[in-house]
Amino acid sequence: MGKTLVQKIFESHRVGGSLVTGEQIQVKVDQVITQDATGTMTYLEFEAIGVPRVKVPVAVSYVDHNLLQQDFKNPDDHIYLQTAAAKYGAYFSKPGNGICHQVHLERFAAPGAFQIGTDSHTPTAGGMGAIAIGVGGLDAATVLAGGSFEITMPKVVNIRLTGELRRPWVTAMDVILEVLRRLTVKGNVGKIMEYGGPGVRTLSLTERATITNMGAELGATTSIFPSDENTLAYLKAQKRESVWKELQPDPDAEYDDVVEIDLGSLDVLVAQPHSPDAVVPIRELAGLKPAQVCIGSCTNSSYPVMQSVGRILEDRSVAPHVSLGINPGSKQVYEMLARNGDTASMIASGARLLESGCGPCIGMGYAPASDSISVRSYNRNFPGRSGTKSARVYLCNPLACAVIAIKGELCDPRDTDITFEPPSEPKTYIINDNLLLPPADDPDTVEVIRGPNIKTVPVKEPLKDVVEAPVLLKTGDNITTDDIMPAGAQALPFRSNIPELAKFVYSRYDETFSDRARQAGKCFIVGADNYGQGSSREHAAIAPMYLGLEAVIVKSLARIHRANLINFGILPLTFENPADYDTVDLNDVLCLRGLHSSIVSGGVVLSVENKTKRKAFPVRLDLTPREVELIRSGGLLPHTKREQE
Ligand code: MIC
Ligand code: SF4
């Protein structure tokens, strides 16, 4: 039987386990990326493991999320990361160099590579033909320290593309919005989306990266494209053709599922508040008036996209009631736009040019006004993520965003009088890596500098035999890690200070949670489907663990959050009978007994006693042998420490 592209790359990196779907596999990792908001914790954990130098061929520590520098906290984190990278053997991408995924695509991503990253949009590099998976910080720290990466071998879904996009106005963003409309944010855990079919060759490398980037919103493990002549053309233009190789699935490869998309049938689409899968044709919402438009983010800020935006804005004006913010994805993109005059067109149109970083995408400044509409070319529109709880965020393609900023209302650009000359793919990119620092040659002379906001990582006690605690929160479906552990300008500076960060846990969702948890000392959270979707931030596990969270009991869990819960010793329980969700109420006292003997690998059913209701209900605990060890130890850090002793 022929092999899928996914199977080929897993096979070439396998160091243990099995390639059979659903079984555990261990792989060696080629590239590890971190960003500042998750990276400080990752490098603190790497230090706690106690290995002197990173043991992967390429590690890159990016700074892109928190660039506000309201006081000493962010710059202290940046200096910690810079000195840690130099000492421990990672490249350091300085603030200003750009968003990790965009820069990584430009300078490091390679076809056939196995990459992990402490950011859920790590799959961007799948556009290059890499397997690139978002993970929690502790999983990355373990790999940096020389460990293999373990994962359940995913299913492979073939997304078969035919036809060609109706350019210029229908873009790669509309492809992924269509995939989200069909497959939704739920039910894709444990799957890799492998793109194929004749439509692939009609998409440029950066268009493919837009699609794999926002594939994160499906909750899938990752997404990948073949590597072909378009991949080569991009790598040549980046003067990196030496890493190119052709990668295709075998013609007789078998997939777990096939989804067909005719690119030629796609319209300009928009995701409505508050979920990336609430997708409709933009024409259905024509006339809605935004107060803000944002163009950029790791999804849509490559040079060809930004150049198109510049051309659309040329000799035109942003509507009086709209504020247009543009954050180009990298210094390379920014410099090229500046040199060819596109930034001048943007500035002249009235756009506000923001730094090259994540910015408004996670509410790091540029928050929209109360109750207003913000239209963004970004990938997430979760409630409150923009920094304004009452704002309503719509997601659509960057060229439509530019037209909307000019017209002052949602519209299909094809229904307007605006035209522009679409640019061709650049033959060469400007290469200037002066913000990308290689690791130090003489690490012994480098001192790692730690500011006062950098605290040690809290560690949980080993698993108790009996856990009794109240339910302090009962949530609905699709809880995001932005609900659990908000980012934004207030909370983000505390990513390396868990005691302070813990005050923000669930603060947007239920502002009493953190205080109630502290008072109770121990607690359970009950949730519904797709609990913990979104970001890779392990802080959504560490900070609740610090507040005494013992277990979540939910209908289903998102992949990265589940791994993070286990890494920090929190039991990820699922209702055996989803209907039991309705029988548990807030403040019910639940009790689990005999955990030491009953937690074994392969799937067990435990009985949860509801002491308040005087009845019991069954829950499932599916753990691999490794995960059983982690849960017993109180998490990965105490486990690793114990193994070293
Ligand atoms: C996001 O888009 O939600 C983030 C902010 O990039 C996160 C990482 C983080 O919380 O630091 C992600 O996607 O993993
Ligand atoms: Fe940054 Fe937004 Fe991309 Fe996350 S989704 S990496 S916050 S630009």
Side-chain angles (χ1 to χ4, degrees):
M1 190 178 84
K3 294 194 179 92
T4 65
L5 191 50
V6 170
Q7 285 164 339
K8 289 184 183 185
I9 302 179
F10 270 84
E11 188 170 44
S12 62
H13 288 79
R14 189 176 78 91
V15 290
S18 153
L19 283 159
V20 174
T21 308
E23 294 193 6
Q24 293 307 110
I25 179 164
Q26 291 89 36
V27 290
K28 83 172 158 32
V29 170
D30 304 311
Q31 305 194 346
V32 177
I33 67 167
T34 52
Q35 42 87 346
D36 51 317
T38 52
T40 356
M41 195 49 76
T42 308
Y43 277 93
L44 288 169
E45 289 157 350
F46 174 78
E47 288 177 326
I49 297 171
V51 172
R53 295 281 281 181
V54 303
K55 293 189 178 164
V56 287
V58 175
V60 194
S61 173
Y62 291 94
V63 177
D64 52 1
H65 279 62
N66 197 351
L67 308 176
L68 285 183
Q69 300 182 213
Q70 292 144 305
D71 61 17
F72 64 92
K73 295 190 204 75
N74 298 164
D76 281 7
D77 277 357
H78 301 168
I79 288 173
Y80 166 73
L81 288 168
Q82 180 163 351
T83 50
K87 190 167 187 78
Y88 304 133
Y91 283 88
F92 181 68
S93 174
K94 290 175 72 177
N97 201 35
I99 306 176
C100 54
H101 310 301
Q102 175 65 27
V103 179
H104 203 75
L105 205 61
E106 292 166 0
R107 309 307 303 136
F108 292 100
F114 206 109
Q115 179 188 328
I116 60 167
T118 61
D119 192 281
S120 63
H121 293 103
T122 301
T124 313
M128 180 74 84
I131 291 283
I133 300 181
V135 299
L138 202 40
D139 283 327
T142 315
V143 170
L144 285 172
S148 57
F149 175 63
E150 180 173 307
I151 187 167
T152 307
M153 189 64 203
K155 290 186 176 162
V156 187
V157 177
N158 181 215
I159 303 200
R160 195 168 177 280
L161 304 177
T162 57
E164 194 159 346
L165 288 172
R166 293 190 219 153
R167 291 192 172 83
W169 296 113
V170 181
T171 80
M173 177 72 165
D174 299 299
V175 179
I176 187 60
L177 286 172
E178 172 65 10
V179 177
L180 277 154
R181 188 183 72 78
R182 292 209 211 165
L183 302 185
T184 80
V185 297
K186 289 199 285 196
N188 302 305
V189 173
K191 296 180 185 167
I192 295 185
M193 305 299 161
E194 182 174 312
Y195 287 83
V200 165
R201 63 169 182 275
T202 69
L203 297 172
S204 70
L205 187 286
T206 53
E207 289 176 323
R208 296 173 188 177
T210 292
I211 296 169
T212 57
N213 169 288
M214 200 169 171
E217 276 41 83
L218 296 163
T221 305
T222 189
S223 307
I224 188 169
F225 271 85
S227 166
D228 58 10
E229 61 282 3
N230 295 1
T231 322
L232 176 61
Y234 179 82
L235 283 167
K236 263 194 187 147
Q238 294 283 2
K239 302 197 176 50
R240 295 205 295 121
E241 61 266 38
S242 61
V243 303
W244 183 75
K245 56 179 168 197
E246 176 149 32
L247 280 175
Q248 299 284 349
D250 290 335
D252 55 345
E254 281 188 17
Y255 293 89
D256 293 290
D257 206 354
V258 180
V259 175
E260 298 252 356
I261 293 186
D262 171 9
L263 297 173
S265 70
L266 296 182
D267 266 330
V268 180
L269 300 172
V270 63
Q272 308 169 84
H274 296 284
S275 184
D277 63 357
V279 174
V280 294
I282 201 162
R283 279 194 178 123
E284 288 184 15
L285 303 179
L288 267 186
K289 292 205 174 346
Q292 182 187 72
V293 176
C294 299
I295 304 178
S297 93
C298 58
T299 313
N300 277 304
S301 59
S302 65
Y303 177 64
V305 159
M306 286 293 169
Q307 207 183 3
S308 301
V309 169
R311 291 187 182 187
I312 295 167
L313 293 174
E314 192 177 357
D315 298 329
R316 299 191 172 100
S317 259
V318 172
H321 62 277
V322 172
S323 172
L324 170 63
I326 302 180
N327 57 327
S330 69
K331 170 168 170 281
Q332 182 186 69
V333 173
Y334 229 144
E335 181 180 346
M336 288 176 69
L337 292 172
R339 291 196 186 278
N340 71 16
D342 285 311
T343 39
S345 306
M346 292 173 180
I347 293 167
S349 75
R352 295 166 62 182
L353 292 199
L354 309 175
E355 229 182 320
S356 187
C358 299
C361 180
I362 35 157
M364 297 307 291
Y366 211 68
S370 303
D371 304 317
S372 67
I373 290 177
S374 176
V375 182
R376 301 173 162 211
S377 73
Y378 300 174
N379 51 37
R380 287 186 176 147
N381 56 350
F382 301 149
R385 179 176 163 99
S386 64
T388 304
K389 209 170 167 182
S390 64
R392 298 196 300 134
V393 176
Y394 292 76
L395 309 172
C396 73
N397 88 48
L399 313 193
C401 281
V403 172
I404 291 166
I406 296 163
K407 294 291 176 191
E409 57 182 36
L410 266 70
C411 55
D412 188 319
R414 295 170 298 180
D415 300 336
T416 71
D417 53 355
I418 293 180
T419 55
F420 75 104
E421 181 64 37
S424 47
E425 288 284 315
K427 292 272 175 294
T428 53
Y429 283 90
I430 297 177
I431 315 293
N432 175 355
D433 286 332
N434 62 353
L435 291 184
L436 191 59
L437 311 182
D441 296 330
D442 46 358
D444 293 345
T445 63
V446 179
E447 186 202 345
V448 177
I449 300 172
R450 285 161 229 275
N453 189 43
I454 297 177
K455 305 282 189 239
T456 48
V457 192
V459 172
K460 196 176 182 332
E461 306 262 282
L463 179 74
K464 302 251 178 8
D465 195 42
V466 178
V467 176
E468 182 174 318
V471 175
L472 289 192
L473 200 69
K474 184 170 176 189
T475 74
D477 283 346
N478 296 328
I479 284 294
T480 74
T481 49
D482 278 295
D483 294 318
I484 304 171
M485 187 69 265
Q490 276 92 36
L492 214 58
F494 294 111
R495 283 281 179 99
S496 48
N497 182 345
I498 299 300
E500 280 303 317
L501 188 70
K503 294 179 184 161
F504 294 88
V505 173
Y506 270 114
S507 57
R508 274 194 212 130
Y509 193 83
D510 173 349
E511 56 191 23
T512 67
F513 178 79
S514 170
D515 285 343
R516 289 189 294 118
R518 271 175 213 264
Q519 271 161 24
K522 269 190 283 182
C523 65
F524 288 103
I525 289 178
V526 169
D529 265 322
N530 197 22
Y531 184 85
Q533 68 162 330
S535 143
S536 69
R537 61 190 75 148
E538 61 185 344
H539 303 77
I542 312 177
M545 178 276 278
Y546 177 81
L547 292 175
L549 179 62
E550 297 284 350
V552 299
I553 308 177
V554 299
K555 292 185 187 170
S556 63
L557 270 163
R559 177 186 63 87
I560 312 180
H561 188 56
R562 176 185 174 279
N564 285 332
L565 289 172
I566 295 168
N567 279 348
F568 288 92
I570 300 168
L571 289 164
L573 305 173
T574 48
F575 286 103
E576 178 75 347
N577 308 316
D580 283 330
Y581 167 86
D582 298 316
T583 68
V584 189
D585 290 312
L586 197 65
N587 295 325
D588 280 2
V589 175
L590 306 183
C591 183
L592 281 157
R593 292 178 199 281
L595 291 174
H596 285 169
S597 55
S598 54
I599 294 191
V600 288
S601 64
V604 286
V605 177
L606 308 174
S607 174
V608 180
E609 194 184 331
N610 185 333
K611 293 193 126 182
T612 312
K613 301 275 163 56
R614 294 172 192 278
K615 56 197 244 185
F617 61 91
V619 291
R620 257 196 106 68
L621 182 59
D622 284 310
L623 297 177
T624 65
R626 174 178 173 267
E627 289 170 344
V628 169
E629 291 305 313
L630 303 189
I631 286 287
R632 284 176 184 275
S633 306
L636 180 52
L637 260 191
H639 177 72
T640 315
K641 284 257 155 222
R642 209 152 302 144
E643 276 196 331
Q644 281 166 354
E645 280 159 18

